[in-house]
Amino acid sequence: MFRFRWRPVAALVAVFGLGMVPIAWADGPYLAVNGVALAGGSVTAPFTADLVDPGAVTDGVKFLLDNTYLGKDTTAPYQWTVNASTGGHELKARWSAAGTTVSTEATFTVTTQPPTPTPTPTPTPTVTPTPPTDGEARTGLDLTAANRRAPVAGLYDWSKAGYREGAPLPGSADYTTDTTCRLTPAVLATTYGVIPGDGGDDTPGLQAAIDSVRTQCSFTAAPDRLSSIQLPQGELLVTGEIKVDADYLVISGAGADPATGTKIVYRPGPATLYDTLTSDGSDWDQSAMKWGSANGGWLWPGRGLFRVESRCVAPQYRVGTQAGCPGAGTADEDDETYDDAPANRKDLFEGTVNAHWVSGVKLRAMPGVPGFAGKTGQDTVYLSTSTSSALMAGIKVGGYVNVRAANTRNFYAQMTVPAGSGDMENLHMRQQIFKVKAVDTTAKTVQLDKPLEFDVPVDSTSDGSAAIDNTVYASKVAPLIDPVVGVGFANLFLTQDMPGLDEQTAVHNYGNMAPAAEMHGIVVKHAADAWIKGVRMRMTGSHPIVTEEAKNLSVVDNTLDGAWNKGKGGNGYLRGSRVWDSVYAGNTTTGLRHFTFQWSASGNVAIGNKFDSDLNLHGGWERNNLFELNRSTVPYDHRSGSCSARCGGEGGGTDDGTWFPVYWSAGPKAVKWSGASGPNNVLFDNVLKKQADGPAAAYEDYYPSPTTIYRFGWNGSGWQHLDVGGVTITDWAGNERRDYTGGHGVDATGTDTRSSLFLTVIP
C-alpha cells in the first residue's frame, strides 16, 4: 500500500519568552498548542497538543513522542496531553484515512517545567516528656545456625529463619576475585560518572553500574562468589528509583555516618513522584495510575530509592525481546504496552508479578479429602490433572513457589467476619513461599520443603462455601519467575530530601505530609536471601524497609529514623508484608508508625530491636512469628489521633485511643484491608512500656513476665480469636488492657527460663 505523509511547509516562527505566534501553513494537517503551530516552537510541559485539520479520520489518531507511543484519541477534536523533559523533542500524530496511513510531526523545545509543589507543613505536635531509658537495641547478635536452639517442644521451628537459613552474612572471603564484578569508587567515578559532592544526578551512573554487574556477573555469581559495588565517601544525589536485580550483588558504603560515610540523598523527580492522587489529595491513587491494562496496583507496595526486584516484563506486555529475560514479546505493537509507556509508567510493567499469575497452576482435590488440594501439616499439593507440560516445566526442584489459598466464606467466618460483610474479597489471603523439594510430572504433584501451615481449598467454594461476589476463585501454586537472590546492602546513610518540610513536625504526625512523595527506602519484592545491615535511614518518604513476597531475609543492626508520610493508605512502617522465614534483629526505629508482620507473614523472628512504636500484627492471617527480647517504649502521642491532615491507615479512618506496644487485628474490623491476625504469634521476654493515660502520665509495663510464653491467637491446640467473655472483640482499640489469657485467645500457659527461644547464647 502506498504510504504518504503530510508535511507543513517551511514557515517563520517567532518566539517571545515561552510563547509562540501563529504562522501560516500550506494546506494540510499540523500540530498546535493553544491555536499556535507547535513546529519549531518553545513550550512549557505538560501541554495539550491539538491535531488541526486532519481531514477524514478512521479509527482515531495515535500520538508518539520521540517515536514512543503515547496513546490514541478516538474522538474529535483529536488531542493529547504531553509531558516531556527539558530539551528538544518530536511529537508525531498518525491516523488512517481512506485506507491510507497519514502522519504529521513537529519538532519543539521544552524550556522549563513547573517546580514540584511543596506541601504545606502541618502544625508541630505537643512535645511529650522524655520516655524512660530501657537500654539500646541488641546489636551484634550471633544469628547463625550454630547459635540457634533446637526447636522448643510445642512451638514453631524458627531454626532456618534468615539469610540462607542461618548462614553467616558475607565476609571478605565470599567475594569474587573477578575485578569486572567488583566496582570500586574509582571505577564508579571514571566509568559511570558517580562522583560524590559534585551536585550532579548519580541515578544514571548507579543504575548503569548495576546493569553492568547484572549482564556480566550474575550468571556466574554465587554466595561464595559475590559481586560488589563499593560506594564512595561523600554525598550522592539520586532522583529516580534504582533497580537492583543482579543476583548476589552487595552494595556497600563507606559508613552510615552522614558526615564521614556514604550519604545518599533521594530527591525524586517528576518521572518518579506520583502524579495521581486521591480526590481529596491525601494519598497515592493506585487505580488512577494507568497505562493500557496496567495500573498502580501492579507497582505495589510502591516506588522506593532501591528496588530489589526483577525488571523482566511478562511477554504479553512487551513487543520485542528484553535483555536477560526469557521469551519474546507477544503484545501487538499498537497496544499500550511497556515498550511505548512513558517514563513514569514503564515501571508498572516491570517485575514479574503478571508472569507469576499467568504461570500459576490450578489445583485438584487430594485423594480422600474432597475439596482440598492440601491440608495443614502435609507437604504435598495436588495440581490440576489438566496442567500443561509447559506450566509443569515452570515448577523446578530447588526453585520457589508461592502456594496461594483462595479466600472462602467459611474462612471469613472462622475470623468471625459477619456473614453479610460487604468487605469480603476474592483474594489469596493465605500465602507462603516454599522451596520445591520434588515434582511428579505424571501424578501432577509438588512436594514442598516444609509442611503447609494452612488448608488449601481447590477454590473459593470447594470447602462448601457460597461464592463471594458470585465468582468462583481458584487457589494456585505459582512459581516465582526470575526471583532476585542474594542481594545485600551495608554501611550506608539514606535520606529523602523534602525542602520546605520540617522534620520535627513529622515526629508524631500520623498523616501524610507529602503524598506525591510516598517513596520507600528499600523495597524487597519477589526475592530471597537478601540482607540489610548497618544501614541508617533518616526521613524516608514512607516505609524505610518494606517487603512483598520475600523469603529468608536478614534485616540487622539498622537505624531507621522518621518518615514524611505515616498516614492514609498505610505509610511509614518498618513493614514485613508477605515475608517468610526472616530475621529482624538489633534494629532501632524512631518516629515510625508501626513495626509490622502482616498479610500472611510467617516464620519470622524479631529479636533484640528497640522501637518507640508498636509490635503490630497488622492482619491478613500472619502467624507463627516470634517477638523476643525487643524493647518497645510507646509514648501517649503515638496514636492515630495525632494527625492534622491526610489521616488514617490502610483501612481508612482513625482509631480511638492510643496505640499500645502490641496491636492485634480483629476480623470484623481488619476485613477492610486484609483480615484477622492468624494463629500462634509468640511474645517472649520483651520490655514493653506504654504511656496510656495522657502526655504527662507514667509509663506502664505491658505483658511484663520475662519467662511467660504469650501465644496470641491460640487456645493451646489451634487458632482462637481474642474474645471478652466468649464474645469476639470487633476492634483492638479500646480493648488493649483486657486479659485474654485463660482461654480468651492468648495462651500464657507455657514458660521458659532460658534467655531466648531462638538463640543459644545471648551476650
Side-chain angles (χ1 to χ4, degrees), residues 100-470:
T100 302
T101 299
V102 186
S103 68
T104 186
E105 63 268 355
T107 57
F108 63 95
T109 300
V110 174
T111 55
T112 60
Q113 288 188 312
T116 302
T118 300
T120 302
T122 50
T124 302
T126 302
V127 177
T128 60
T130 302
T133 300
D134 291 312
E136 301 303 320
R138 295 174 181 257
T139 58
L141 291 173
D142 179 359
L143 301 168
T144 64
N147 191 38
R148 295 187 179 179
R149 285 182 66 173
V152 178
L155 293 181
Y156 188 84
D157 179 4
W158 293 286
S159 63
K160 293 185 177 181
Y163 174 73
R164 298 184 59 223
E165 299 184 349
L169 294 184
S172 58
D174 297 313
Y175 290 85
T176 181
T177 58
D178 183 353
T179 56
T180 304
C181 305
R182 300 191 68 171
L183 306 187
T184 64
V187 171
L188 290 177
T190 58
T191 304
Y192 299 101
V194 177
I195 301 173
D198 65 348
D201 187 356
D202 296 299
T203 313
L206 290 172
Q207 189 63 71
I210 293 168
D211 293 350
S212 174
V213 172
R214 179 177 183 264
T215 301
Q216 301 184 64
C217 309
S218 287
F219 295 104
T220 58
D224 58 353
R225 291 195 305 278
L226 297 169
S227 304
S228 66
I229 295 177
Q230 178 67 50
L231 300 177
Q233 183 184 36
E235 182 173 308
L236 302 176
L237 172 64
V238 173
T239 63
E241 186 175 64
I242 295 174
K243 315 300 172 62
V244 187
D245 53 356
D247 290 343
Y248 300 109
L249 167 63
V250 178
I251 298 176
S252 57
D257 186 327
T260 60
T262 298
K263 178 180 180 180
I264 299 180
V265 176
Y266 194 23
R267 206 169 286 157
T272 304
L273 293 168
Y274 297 120
D275 61 350
T276 58
L277 299 180
T278 53
S279 58
D280 61 359
S282 64
D283 192 25
W284 163 41
D285 191 336
Q286 300 166 48
S287 60
M289 187 177 182
K290 294 181 178 179
W291 183 258
S293 58
N295 63 62
W298 295 13
L299 191 61
W300 184 258
R303 292 170 174 151
L305 196 167
F306 288 110
R307 189 180 195 87
V308 181
E309 183 187 16
S310 171
R311 275 178 285 172
C312 286
V313 177
Q316 66 269 33
Y317 299 109
R318 56 183 166 92
V319 175
T321 58
Q322 186 182 10
C325 299
T330 60
D332 185 274
E333 65 178 5
D334 286 335
D335 290 343
E336 293 177 334
T337 61
Y338 169 79
D339 303 82
D340 47 47
N344 67 344
R345 291 293 185 271
K346 281 191 179 294
D347 59 353
L348 300 186
F349 297 94
E350 289 178 341
T352 52
V353 58
N354 296 292
H356 299 319
W357 184 254
V358 171
S359 65
V361 177
K362 294 183 179 182
L363 310 178
R364 76 177 192 273
M366 58 192 298
V369 187
F372 288 89
K375 296 288 285 184
T376 303
Q378 299 178 341
D379 64 1
T380 299
V381 181
Y382 290 75
L383 311 181
S384 169
T385 55
S386 62
T387 303
S388 69
S389 57
L391 288 177
M392 288 297 302
I395 303 175
K396 298 179 175 65
V397 173
Y400 296 97
V401 293
N402 191 345
V403 178
R404 309 171 187 258
N407 290 358
T408 71
R409 289 186 179 274
N410 286 344
F411 177 53
Y412 275 117
Q414 184 183 4
M415 295 187 290
T416 70
V417 173
S421 173
D423 292 312
M424 295 183 188
E425 292 189 75
N426 282 318
L427 293 173
H428 296 131
M429 192 181 300
R430 294 161 292 179
Q431 300 183 19
Q432 189 162 356
I433 292 177
F434 299 87
K435 273 189 176 179
V436 177
K437 186 175 181 180
V439 179
D440 189 327
T441 57
T442 301
K444 302 289 176 69
T445 59
V446 175
Q447 186 179 11
L448 310 171
D449 66 333
K450 57 193 299 187
L452 289 165
E453 298 175 12
F454 46 81
D455 294 342
V456 183
V458 173
D459 57 45
S460 58
T461 62
S462 65
D463 67 348
S465 298
I468 299 171
D469 294 334
N470 299 313

Side-chain angles (χ1 to χ4, degrees), residues 1-7 64 67 92-95 99-105:
M1 179 180 296
F2 176 73
R3 173 186 174 96
F4 69 95
R5 176 178 296 175
W6 288 102
R7 293 184 182 273
L64 299 90
N67 287 318
K92 182 183 295 182
R94 187 171 64 198
W95 65 99
T100 302
T101 299
V102 186
S103 68
T104 186
E105 63 268 355

Side-chain angles (χ1 to χ4, degrees), residues 571-594:
N571 290 287
Y573 308 175
L574 172 51
R575 185 169 183 261
S577 172
R578 293 190 181 99
V579 62
W580 297 281
D581 307 313
S582 297
V583 174
Y584 294 71
N587 302 290
T588 298
T589 75
T590 52
L592 299 181
R593 184 178 176 111
H594 307 302

